[in-house]
Amino acid sequence: MSDSVRINPSILAADFVNMQAELARIAAADFVHVDVMDNHFVPNLTFGPQMVERIQATSPVPLDVHLMITDADRWAPGYAELGAASVTFHLEAATDPIGLARRLRQIGARAGVAVKPATGVDSLLDVLDEFDQILVMTVEPGFGGQSFMADQLSKVSRLREEVRRRGSQVWLQVDGGVSASTIAQAAEAGADTFVAGSAVFGADDPDDAIAALRQLAVGAHRH
């Protein structure tokens, strides 16, 4: 695996009232991770398209939008049309995941698919290249600040094995409880893209925290 490691801070951990200033604090990030929740697919409500559009207009880094919403087939393309660099929908919320991924790519976004802790990844192994990113949730989606579920890393390893076997370019992302104490473990399992919330925004200097996380992940890959 190459040393290309992506750190995508989650704005769930940011100060929503000062969003523009918070975004300016993470200029060293690869993407900003934006969690869209509809209070149906998960028991929480966050941003809709208007807020995402404003974040898109003010963010110094591209948007990695994670849709925790029902009826992804209907709503996901709109986020790609807003200019998000990457749009990830849940496998559990799409009736035609491959068709949806192709539509997102057609609009110009990277297409990602996410799986909740209870969902296996076997159905994705044969269709890896239909996606640009596969997100393995390492917490139950819905709320920030939860503990990292290390038992989910076997899915990451399984996907990484298949990525290597096929020479696929798909990115493997983990989201949930990622911090200085868990990132190396996730990187060793084969993840290359990491969503970190409080580990970044809770730091005195978020850019320093991003650099430290990146170093830990790169070190784990080399190891």
Side-chain angles (χ1 to χ4, degrees):
M1 196 190 319
S2 78
D3 287 340
S4 79
V5 158
R6 285 159 293 274
I7 307 293
N8 302 4
S10 166
I11 57 167
L12 263 193
D15 174 0
F16 292 173
V17 175
N18 298 304
M19 189 60 81
Q20 190 166 1
E22 290 284 75
L23 290 166
R25 295 170 74 212
I26 58 161
D30 296 278
F31 293 81
V32 57
H33 190 81
V34 181
D35 289 301
V36 174
M37 308 185 198
D38 64 358
N39 212 18
H40 294 283
F41 184 70
V42 289
N44 197 0
L45 187 65
T46 56
F47 323 103
Q50 293 86 350
M51 185 69 179
V52 172
E53 193 169 14
R54 289 302 300 137
I55 295 167
Q56 169 73 25
T58 53
S59 176
V61 291
L63 266 53
D64 171 32
V65 175
H66 176 195
L67 301 176
M68 296 180 238
I69 61 173
T70 49
D71 203 359
D73 305 75
R74 179 181 175 190
W75 298 110
Y79 288 90
E81 283 158 2
L82 289 177
S86 176
V87 177
T88 297
F89 58 88
H90 268 266
L91 185 62
E92 304 90 353
T95 52
D96 179 12
I98 290 171
L100 179 52
R102 288 176 180 174
R103 174 92 183 96
L104 293 171
R105 283 174 158 179
Q106 198 182 353
I107 296 166
R110 291 178 61 84
V113 64
V115 290
K116 293 205 254 189
T119 304
V121 294
D122 287 2
S123 66
L124 296 173
L125 298 175
D126 285 338
V127 292
L128 282 182
D129 293 317
E130 293 287 351
F131 306 100
D132 298 296
Q133 175 168 278
I134 297 174
L135 165 53
V136 172
M137 292 298 296
T138 42
V139 294
E140 285 295 339
F143 293 93
Q146 298 182 67
S147 297
F148 182 78
M149 296 166 71
D151 60 349
Q152 296 301 307
L153 295 180
S154 57
K155 292 183 199 173
V156 178
S157 302
R158 185 86 202 280
L159 287 163
R160 174 55 62 195
E161 209 175 290
E162 193 62 16
V163 164
R164 283 201 187 103
R165 202 175 71 76
R166 290 171 179 262
S168 171
Q169 298 301 306
V170 67
W171 295 352
L172 299 184
Q173 185 178 61
V174 288
D175 177 6
V178 173
S179 67
S181 59
T182 58
I183 193 167
Q185 209 180 340
E188 278 166 17
D192 52 28
T193 307
F194 306 88
V195 178
S198 39
V200 171
F201 282 109
D204 290 338
D205 186 331
D207 273 348
D208 278 358
I210 290 165
L213 289 169
R214 194 187 300 283
Q215 204 173 348
L216 286 164
V218 169
H221 283 176
R222 286 188 180 141
H223 176 69

